[in-house]
Amino acid sequence: MRVRESALRLKRFEVEEKAQKVRDLQHMINEFEQMANDLERQIEAEEERTGVRDRSHFAYSTFARSAFQRRENLMASVQDLRERLENAVTERDEATAELEQVDAGFYRDEDRQREDAKETQAETR
């Protein structure tokens, strides 16, 4: 019985760990998107200030160019994180389904043991 209880606890821990990973990835994606939006606003402000919007123009702002590159890097990271998030969600959902199966089996076995104990108790009377 103890083995099943510890296996159930372990499975619950695994599900919670995978759920936390999903939450962490979602948080990172939101943070990166916010930083990319901030950079976009900074780029627009710099282009407005200098009056040069063509990135290939020789007078294009160095600050805007580097901010654009940082923004592109962030968006590439966001794309990578989204792929990792999809995998993490799948893993979490699979672990949750496994937990439900183990949990249902655990309680079914407990009920069966109680019934057996009641029958044994009734037979000894």
Short mmCIF file of all heavy atoms in Angstrom, two decimals, residues 70-101:
data_model
loop_
_atom_site.label_atom_id
_atom_site.label_comp_id
_atom_site.label_asym_id
_atom_site.label_seq_id
_atom_site.Cartn_x
_atom_site.Cartn_y
_atom_site.Cartn_z
N ARG A 70 18.04 43.51 -31.86
CA ARG A 70 17.66 42.92 -30.56
C ARG A 70 16.21 42.44 -30.62
O ARG A 70 15.88 41.36 -30.12
CB ARG A 70 17.83 43.93 -29.43
CG ARG A 70 19.27 44.12 -29.01
CD ARG A 70 19.40 44.83 -27.67
NE ARG A 70 18.69 46.10 -27.60
CZ ARG A 70 19.18 47.28 -27.94
NH1 ARG A 70 20.43 47.36 -28.39
NH2 ARG A 70 18.46 48.37 -27.82
N ARG A 71 15.36 43.24 -31.23
CA ARG A 71 13.94 42.86 -31.35
C ARG A 71 13.81 41.58 -32.18
O ARG A 71 13.05 40.68 -31.83
CB ARG A 71 13.13 43.99 -32.00
CG ARG A 71 11.67 43.68 -32.09
CD ARG A 71 10.92 44.76 -32.86
NE ARG A 71 9.54 44.41 -33.03
CZ ARG A 71 9.09 43.50 -33.89
NH1 ARG A 71 9.92 42.85 -34.67
NH2 ARG A 71 7.79 43.24 -33.97
N GLU A 72 14.54 41.49 -33.27
CA GLU A 72 14.50 40.28 -34.11
C GLU A 72 14.98 39.07 -33.32
O GLU A 72 14.39 37.99 -33.42
CB GLU A 72 15.35 40.48 -35.37
CG GLU A 72 14.76 41.47 -36.35
CD GLU A 72 13.40 41.04 -36.87
OE1 GLU A 72 13.29 39.90 -37.38
OE2 GLU A 72 12.45 41.84 -36.74
N ASN A 73 16.03 39.25 -32.55
CA ASN A 73 16.54 38.14 -31.72
C ASN A 73 15.50 37.71 -30.69
O ASN A 73 15.32 36.51 -30.44
CB ASN A 73 17.84 38.54 -31.03
CG ASN A 73 19.00 38.68 -31.98
OD1 ASN A 73 18.95 38.21 -33.12
ND2 ASN A 73 20.04 39.36 -31.55
N LEU A 74 14.83 38.68 -30.09
CA LEU A 74 13.78 38.35 -29.11
C LEU A 74 12.64 37.58 -29.77
O LEU A 74 12.13 36.61 -29.21
CB LEU A 74 13.24 39.62 -28.45
CG LEU A 74 14.06 40.19 -27.31
CD1 LEU A 74 13.54 41.57 -26.92
CD2 LEU A 74 14.05 39.26 -26.12
N MET A 75 12.24 38.02 -30.95
CA MET A 75 11.13 37.35 -31.63
C MET A 75 11.53 35.93 -32.05
O MET A 75 10.69 35.02 -32.00
CB MET A 75 10.67 38.17 -32.84
CG MET A 75 10.05 39.51 -32.45
SD MET A 75 8.80 39.41 -31.14
CE MET A 75 7.49 38.57 -31.97
N ALA A 76 12.79 35.72 -32.41
CA ALA A 76 13.26 34.37 -32.71
C ALA A 76 13.23 33.51 -31.45
O ALA A 76 12.83 32.33 -31.48
CB ALA A 76 14.67 34.41 -33.29
N SER A 77 13.60 34.11 -30.33
CA SER A 77 13.54 33.39 -29.05
C SER A 77 12.10 33.06 -28.68
O SER A 77 11.82 31.96 -28.18
CB SER A 77 14.18 34.22 -27.94
OG SER A 77 15.54 34.39 -28.18
N VAL A 78 11.20 33.98 -28.93
CA VAL A 78 9.78 33.74 -28.65
C VAL A 78 9.28 32.56 -29.48
O VAL A 78 8.56 31.69 -28.96
CB VAL A 78 8.92 35.01 -28.92
CG1 VAL A 78 7.44 34.68 -29.00
CG2 VAL A 78 9.19 36.06 -27.86
N GLN A 79 9.67 32.51 -30.74
CA GLN A 79 9.25 31.40 -31.59
C GLN A 79 9.78 30.08 -31.05
O GLN A 79 9.04 29.09 -30.99
CB GLN A 79 9.73 31.61 -33.03
CG GLN A 79 9.23 30.57 -34.00
CD GLN A 79 7.72 30.49 -34.05
OE1 GLN A 79 7.03 31.50 -33.98
NE2 GLN A 79 7.20 29.29 -34.16
N ASP A 80 11.03 30.06 -30.64
CA ASP A 80 11.61 28.85 -30.05
C ASP A 80 10.88 28.47 -28.76
O ASP A 80 10.58 27.30 -28.54
CB ASP A 80 13.10 29.08 -29.77
CG ASP A 80 13.75 27.86 -29.15
OD1 ASP A 80 13.66 26.76 -29.74
OD2 ASP A 80 14.36 28.01 -28.06
N LEU A 81 10.58 29.46 -27.95
CA LEU A 81 9.86 29.19 -26.69
C LEU A 81 8.45 28.67 -26.95
O LEU A 81 7.95 27.82 -26.21
CB LEU A 81 9.81 30.44 -25.82
CG LEU A 81 11.13 30.84 -25.16
CD1 LEU A 81 10.98 32.21 -24.50
CD2 LEU A 81 11.57 29.80 -24.15
N ARG A 82 7.81 29.16 -27.99
CA ARG A 82 6.47 28.67 -28.33
C ARG A 82 6.51 27.18 -28.71
O ARG A 82 5.63 26.42 -28.32
CB ARG A 82 5.87 29.47 -29.48
CG ARG A 82 5.39 30.83 -29.08
CD ARG A 82 4.64 31.51 -30.24
NE ARG A 82 4.44 32.92 -29.99
CZ ARG A 82 3.56 33.44 -29.16
NH1 ARG A 82 2.78 32.64 -28.46
NH2 ARG A 82 3.44 34.74 -29.02
N GLU A 83 7.54 26.79 -29.43
CA GLU A 83 7.70 25.37 -29.78
C GLU A 83 7.94 24.55 -28.52
O GLU A 83 7.35 23.47 -28.36
CB GLU A 83 8.84 25.20 -30.77
CG GLU A 83 8.55 25.79 -32.13
CD GLU A 83 9.76 25.84 -33.04
OE1 GLU A 83 10.81 25.24 -32.69
OE2 GLU A 83 9.67 26.48 -34.10
N ARG A 84 8.79 25.05 -27.64
CA ARG A 84 9.04 24.34 -26.39
C ARG A 84 7.78 24.28 -25.54
O ARG A 84 7.52 23.29 -24.85
CB ARG A 84 10.17 25.02 -25.62
CG ARG A 84 11.53 24.81 -26.28
CD ARG A 84 12.65 25.55 -25.64
NE ARG A 84 12.73 25.35 -24.21
CZ ARG A 84 13.52 26.07 -23.42
NH1 ARG A 84 14.27 27.02 -23.92
NH2 ARG A 84 13.55 25.84 -22.13
N LEU A 85 6.97 25.36 -25.58
CA LEU A 85 5.72 25.39 -24.83
C LEU A 85 4.75 24.33 -25.34
O LEU A 85 4.10 23.64 -24.55
CB LEU A 85 5.08 26.78 -24.92
CG LEU A 85 3.73 26.95 -24.24
CD1 LEU A 85 3.83 26.70 -22.74
CD2 LEU A 85 3.18 28.35 -24.51
N GLU A 86 4.66 24.18 -26.66
CA GLU A 86 3.79 23.15 -27.22
C GLU A 86 4.18 21.77 -26.70
O GLU A 86 3.32 20.98 -26.30
CB GLU A 86 3.86 23.16 -28.75
CG GLU A 86 3.16 24.33 -29.40
CD GLU A 86 3.30 24.31 -30.91
OE1 GLU A 86 3.52 23.21 -31.48
OE2 GLU A 86 3.19 25.38 -31.52
N ASN A 87 5.48 21.50 -26.70
CA ASN A 87 5.97 20.21 -26.19
C ASN A 87 5.68 20.06 -24.70
O ASN A 87 5.28 18.99 -24.24
CB ASN A 87 7.46 20.05 -26.45
CG ASN A 87 7.78 19.93 -27.93
OD1 ASN A 87 6.95 19.52 -28.72
ND2 ASN A 87 8.99 20.30 -28.29
N ALA A 88 5.88 21.12 -23.95
CA ALA A 88 5.66 21.08 -22.50
C ALA A 88 4.18 20.86 -22.19
O ALA A 88 3.84 20.12 -21.26
CB ALA A 88 6.15 22.37 -21.85
N VAL A 89 3.30 21.49 -22.96
CA VAL A 89 1.86 21.31 -22.75
C VAL A 89 1.48 19.86 -23.03
O VAL A 89 0.71 19.25 -22.27
CB VAL A 89 1.05 22.29 -23.63
CG1 VAL A 89 -0.42 21.91 -23.68
CG2 VAL A 89 1.20 23.71 -23.10
N THR A 90 2.03 19.30 -24.10
CA THR A 90 1.76 17.90 -24.43
C THR A 90 2.24 16.98 -23.31
O THR A 90 1.50 16.09 -22.87
CB THR A 90 2.44 17.52 -25.76
OG1 THR A 90 1.95 18.38 -26.79
CG2 THR A 90 2.17 16.08 -26.12
N GLU A 91 3.46 17.22 -22.82
CA GLU A 91 3.99 16.40 -21.73
C GLU A 91 3.14 16.54 -20.48
O GLU A 91 2.87 15.55 -19.79
CB GLU A 91 5.43 16.81 -21.42
CG GLU A 91 6.42 16.41 -22.47
CD GLU A 91 7.83 16.91 -22.17
OE1 GLU A 91 8.05 17.43 -21.04
OE2 GLU A 91 8.69 16.77 -23.04
N ARG A 92 2.72 17.78 -20.16
CA ARG A 92 1.89 18.00 -18.98
C ARG A 92 0.56 17.27 -19.10
O ARG A 92 0.10 16.61 -18.17
CB ARG A 92 1.63 19.49 -18.80
CG ARG A 92 0.77 19.80 -17.57
CD ARG A 92 0.07 21.12 -17.67
NE ARG A 92 -0.78 21.17 -18.84
CZ ARG A 92 -1.26 22.29 -19.35
NH1 ARG A 92 -0.96 23.44 -18.82
NH2 ARG A 92 -2.02 22.27 -20.42
N ASP A 93 -0.06 17.36 -20.29
CA ASP A 93 -1.35 16.71 -20.49
C ASP A 93 -1.24 15.19 -20.40
O ASP A 93 -2.10 14.52 -19.83
CB ASP A 93 -1.95 17.13 -21.83
CG ASP A 93 -2.34 18.60 -21.86
OD1 ASP A 93 -2.41 19.23 -20.78
OD2 ASP A 93 -2.58 19.12 -22.98
N GLU A 94 -0.15 14.64 -20.95
CA GLU A 94 0.07 13.20 -20.86
C GLU A 94 0.29 12.77 -19.41
O GLU A 94 -0.25 11.75 -18.97
CB GLU A 94 1.27 12.78 -21.72
CG GLU A 94 1.00 12.86 -23.20
CD GLU A 94 2.26 12.65 -24.05
OE1 GLU A 94 3.36 12.51 -23.46
OE2 GLU A 94 2.12 12.63 -25.29
N ALA A 95 1.08 13.54 -18.68
CA ALA A 95 1.33 13.22 -17.27
C ALA A 95 0.05 13.32 -16.46
O ALA A 95 -0.20 12.51 -15.56
CB ALA A 95 2.40 14.13 -16.70
N THR A 96 -0.79 14.31 -16.78
CA THR A 96 -2.06 14.46 -16.08
C THR A 96 -2.97 13.27 -16.34
O THR A 96 -3.61 12.74 -15.43
CB THR A 96 -2.76 15.77 -16.51
OG1 THR A 96 -1.89 16.87 -16.22
CG2 THR A 96 -4.08 15.96 -15.79
N ALA A 97 -3.00 12.81 -17.59
CA ALA A 97 -3.82 11.64 -17.93
C ALA A 97 -3.31 10.40 -17.20
O ALA A 97 -4.11 9.61 -16.68
CB ALA A 97 -3.81 11.42 -19.44
N GLU A 98 -1.99 10.25 -17.14
CA GLU A 98 -1.41 9.11 -16.40
C GLU A 98 -1.76 9.19 -14.92
O GLU A 98 -2.09 8.18 -14.30
CB GLU A 98 0.11 9.08 -16.56
CG GLU A 98 0.58 8.69 -17.93
CD GLU A 98 2.09 8.80 -18.08
OE1 GLU A 98 2.79 8.93 -17.06
OE2 GLU A 98 2.56 8.77 -19.23
N LEU A 99 -1.70 10.39 -14.37
CA LEU A 99 -2.04 10.57 -12.96
C LEU A 99 -3.49 10.18 -12.71
O LEU A 99 -3.80 9.50 -11.72
CB LEU A 99 -1.81 12.02 -12.52
CG LEU A 99 -2.30 12.37 -11.11
CD1 LEU A 99 -1.54 11.55 -10.06
CD2 LEU A 99 -2.14 13.86 -10.85
N GLU A 100 -4.37 10.60 -13.60
CA GLU A 100 -5.78 10.25 -13.43
C GLU A 100 -5.99 8.74 -13.45
O GLU A 100 -6.78 8.21 -12.67
CB GLU A 100 -6.62 10.93 -14.51
CG GLU A 100 -6.73 12.43 -14.32
CD GLU A 100 -7.38 13.14 -15.49
OE1 GLU A 100 -7.73 12.48 -16.50
OE2 GLU A 100 -7.54 14.37 -15.40
N GLN A 101 -5.25 8.05 -14.32
CA GLN A 101 -5.35 6.59 -14.37
C GLN A 101 -4.82 5.96 -13.09
O GLN A 101 -5.46 5.08 -12.51
CB GLN A 101 -4.58 6.04 -15.57
CG GLN A 101 -5.24 6.33 -16.90
CD GLN A 101 -4.39 5.84 -18.06
OE1 GLN A 101 -3.22 5.50 -17.89
NE2 GLN A 101 -4.99 5.79 -19.24
#
